Every structure is written in C-alpha cells, then in structure tokens.
Amino acid sequence: MRLTLIRPDDMHLHLRDGSALPDLVPPLAHRFARGLIMPNLAAPVTTVAAAAAYRRRILAAVPRGRDFEPLMTLYLTPATPAEEIDRAREDGHIHAVKLYPAGATTHSQHGVRRIEAIYPVLERMIAAGLVLSIHAELPDPAIDPYEREARFIDTTLAPLVERYPELRIVLEHVSTREGIEFVTGASPRIGATITAHHLLCSRRNLFAGGLSPHYFCRPLLQSEATRQALVAAATGESPRFFLGSDSAPHPRRLKECARAAAGIYTGYGALELYAEAFAAANALDRLEDFASRRGAAFYGLPLNTATVSLEQTEWTVPDEYPFAGETVVPFRAAESLHFELVP
Ligand code: NCD
Ligand code: ZN
C-alpha cells in the first residue's frame, strides 16, 4: 500500500548546529517542506541577526535539489527588547518566539522566570502577529515531574490567555489530558503540537526491559490512557492539533550515563513514525490534515504543493546514526518500522 500526501511541515524540531547540521538536515528536508526550528542552541538564538545566520547555516546543509524552508524562532529572555519583535516582523523569516520557563529543559537557563517581565514583548508580538511558542512546564523542583504541564496551565498559561486573548499561542508537545482539554476549550488562537513519540509510547516504555534513557524526554511520556487521549486529539476533528516532532538528538554519550539528557531523536523518520501511530488508530486518512494542513493554517502559511509518499513495508532502524562526529541512538533503534519513505 502506498500513501501519498501533500508535503508536510514539522512545526517543532531541534537541528542543533555546526557539524550536526549535515547529519540532521537531510532527513528532515527529505520528508518536510518546512520546519519550525527551535532556538535552544548552547548560545541561544535571541536576535534576528543570530536567527538569520543560523538559517543560512541550515540552508547550507540542505541537499542540492531539495526545497526546504527553515521557519525560524527567537529565544525569549527577560532581556529581549520589544524592538527585536519589530525587527523580527520586518525580517519575514521569524515565525514564532519561544518561551522556555527557566530550568524547564535543555538550554533553558536563559529563559523566563517571571512572566510579567515579558509583557511588553508579548504586547508587541500581538501587534506583529507573531506566534508565542511555549514549553509549557512549570520547572519548580517541588512539583511532581508528571504534573508540570498541568500546573503550568493553571498557574501561567490560563491567566496569560485571559490577559492576552489576541495572542496566538502554541502549547508545544502537549503531553497531558489537561493540556488537550485546555486547547480544545480555548479560542482558535490556541494550538498545540503533538510528537510522534507521545503518540506511540507511554512511560511503560521507559522501564520495559530495564531503564532506558532513550525514552526520556521533556515533557515526560505519560500513562497509556493519556497516550490514547493524545492519539484521539491528533486523529480527531480539531484543526488545532498539528505535527511537531520535537526531534531532539543528543549524543549517545550524554544519554547512556547518569543524569541523562532529555530528548528523543525521531527526525531520521518522523513522518513514518506518525504514519505508524495513525495506522494503529485506523486513521491514516487523517494524517494529511494533521501533518500538512493544520500547522500551515495555524501559522498563516500557504499549503505546500509537492507531495511525498510512504510505502507500507517493514524495515529495521539502525542502532545509531552519525551525529556531529559522534553517534545518536534513534527512537526505536534496531526495531522494525512499518512505513518507508519513497525516495
Ligand atoms: C529538547 C532538547 O533536547 O533540545 N529536549 C526534549 O526533551 N524535548 C528541548 C525541549 O523541547 O524541551
Ligand atoms: Zn523541543
């Protein structure tokens, strides 16, 4: 069986930088027409000038003959001047500004501690029509790690939406029922990305056969019932849930150790993984909506024109992929996948 869809967009992913780009960009550009590039580099992408330079480095790694558009984001810090938002609007390549609560995830230490500090920037974003992309977890160490998304919604996101109803917001990598319910009940200005790993896995996978850091990501994988609720949202009618892989590679060395880094590498085959999740839910006919239409519509981008095809056939994921002179262990390493990209 062959499945053909309009070329999809990945509305949340990590490409890292430098010598990682030639490893990470080609598989992405092969599958997706556009990707929303997260700005949490070691030196975060906080200015339009830095985003433009990063964009050029990404484009230099796109294989010849492939058409791929990096949609850039800015990393919001308490020191981001409102004028940077004006520059972002004029630049035209910046599509979202990313809010990392300080301490919530990889390279988030430059993020925001007090939401009030960024009100002037948010007001300018409304005027500029820029999307606020949020890592929606409360990083307070006193809070149970499985409750950080729900607590962030209560304490921060719901009041923020009430204060700024015109602001377009994406609750990134939604992972809980509270998150799904919040988005479903909110205005059309509020959307959410869903990762392939949150559709395919629950926290059971973290512990199956011994503790596996390769299933450790933020936000955490939740219960099996929650996984099913996420599948229902992704395959359902709401136009506000769309594809964002959160592909987030770390070298094997930083995963297979004490204090393993959070992040799962799905970018080598993200579309195939989503197809697998949709096929398991008997909803392959909804994949094009989720992957190719809704994200573009939310961001006000034109629909892509070309198509991609997947073949339903079995292949084995390698044990590792090259990654910036080291290796990364991919999601589902050494296991079978049931869809393959038609070259
Ligand atoms: C991401 C990373 O490694 O950059 N990690 C993750 O677990 N998802 C950061 C993020 O999106 O939280
Ligand atoms: Zn991410």
Side-chain angles (χ1 to χ4, degrees):
M1 201 261 301
R2 184 174 281 207
L3 178 72
T4 297
L5 45 150
I6 296 171
R7 269 184 93 199
D9 299 312
D10 185 345
M11 289 305 192
H12 178 134
L13 81 153
H14 303 267
L15 284 180
R16 312 309 189 202
D17 202 358
S19 58
L21 291 174
D23 296 324
L24 302 180
V25 174
L28 171 69
H30 209 145
R31 290 162 178 80
F32 296 92
R34 295 173 291 213
L36 191 76
I37 314 300
M38 289 297 128
N40 63 330
L41 302 181
V45 180
T46 56
T47 64
V48 175
Y54 185 30
R55 182 171 180 274
R56 285 192 293 274
R57 297 196 294 278
I58 293 168
L59 285 173
V62 174
R64 200 177 296 274
R66 285 248 177 251
D67 199 17
F68 177 76
E69 171 72 19
L71 308 170
M72 306 309 292
T73 60
L74 289 187
Y75 185 120
L76 192 53
T77 80
T80 302
E83 295 71 43
E84 204 62 41
I85 303 302
D86 300 338
R87 282 190 278 275
R89 185 191 48 198
E90 283 154 27
D91 178 73
H93 294 303
I94 312 285
H95 295 266
V97 177
K98 181 74 189 268
L99 166 58
Y100 289 104
T105 189
T106 309
H107 296 146
S108 65
Q109 66 273 22
H110 307 285
V112 173
R113 277 166 223 283
R114 281 180 49 256
I115 192 89
E116 297 79 11
I118 59 164
Y119 284 167
V121 168
L122 298 181
E123 286 158 21
R124 206 64 77 92
M125 284 173 58
I126 294 170
L130 281 178
V131 169
L132 180 67
S133 154
I134 303 187
H135 185 107
E137 288 196 288
L138 205 59
D140 183 344
I143 294 175
D144 186 291
Y146 286 100
E147 291 170 14
R148 288 181 184 178
E149 185 172 288
R151 293 294 304 279
F152 182 87
I153 292 170
D154 294 345
T155 60
T156 313
L157 183 56
L160 190 69
V161 170
E162 195 149 318
R163 183 181 176 96
Y164 295 119
E166 309 93 339
L167 188 59
R168 283 190 298 151
I169 296 176
V170 178
L171 195 176
E172 298 293 346
H173 36 55
V174 62
S175 67
T176 60
R177 271 186 279 197
E178 290 87 343
I180 295 167
E181 281 163 21
F182 179 78
V183 172
T184 307
S187 87
R189 292 194 180 82
I190 314 299
T193 52
I194 306 182
T195 78
H197 45 278
H198 286 91
L199 293 177
L200 289 166
C201 297
S202 71
R203 59 195 179 211
R204 291 201 289 226
N205 294 86
L206 253 178
F207 306 108
L211 181 64
S212 173
H214 302 296
Y215 288 95
F216 173 50
C217 58
R218 297 197 190 280
L220 295 167
L221 297 170
Q222 295 265 352
S223 69
E224 172 59 18
T226 296
R227 184 193 70 77
Q228 290 175 20
L230 290 166
V231 169
T235 60
E237 299 287 338
S238 169
R240 286 185 286 120
F241 295 99
F242 48 86
L243 188 157
S245 71
D246 195 20
S247 176
H250 292 274
R252 184 192 277 272
R253 166 179 61 86
L254 295 181
K255 292 291 276 180
E256 296 180 358
C257 59
R259 296 181 157 265
I264 295 181
Y265 180 49
T266 51
Y268 71 91
L271 188 59
E272 298 90 316
L273 291 164
Y274 281 105
E276 195 148 319
F278 275 63
N282 235 324
L284 270 180
D285 56 328
R286 311 306 295 271
L287 183 62
E288 187 179 64
D289 256 12
F290 177 79
S292 315
R293 294 180 185 274
R294 296 178 185 171
F298 188 90
Y299 276 91
L301 298 168
L303 210 57
N304 297 312
T305 46
T307 57
V308 289
S309 296
L310 298 175
E311 198 76 62
Q312 200 154 24
T313 172
E314 196 160 308
W315 63 285
T316 305
V317 178
D319 295 340
E320 51 186 27
Y321 281 101
F323 178 54
E326 300 187 58
T327 61
V328 53
V329 178
F331 180 66
R332 303 269 293 266
E335 292 177 35
S336 308
L337 293 196
H338 300 90
F339 287 88
E340 190 168 36
L341 191 75
V342 178

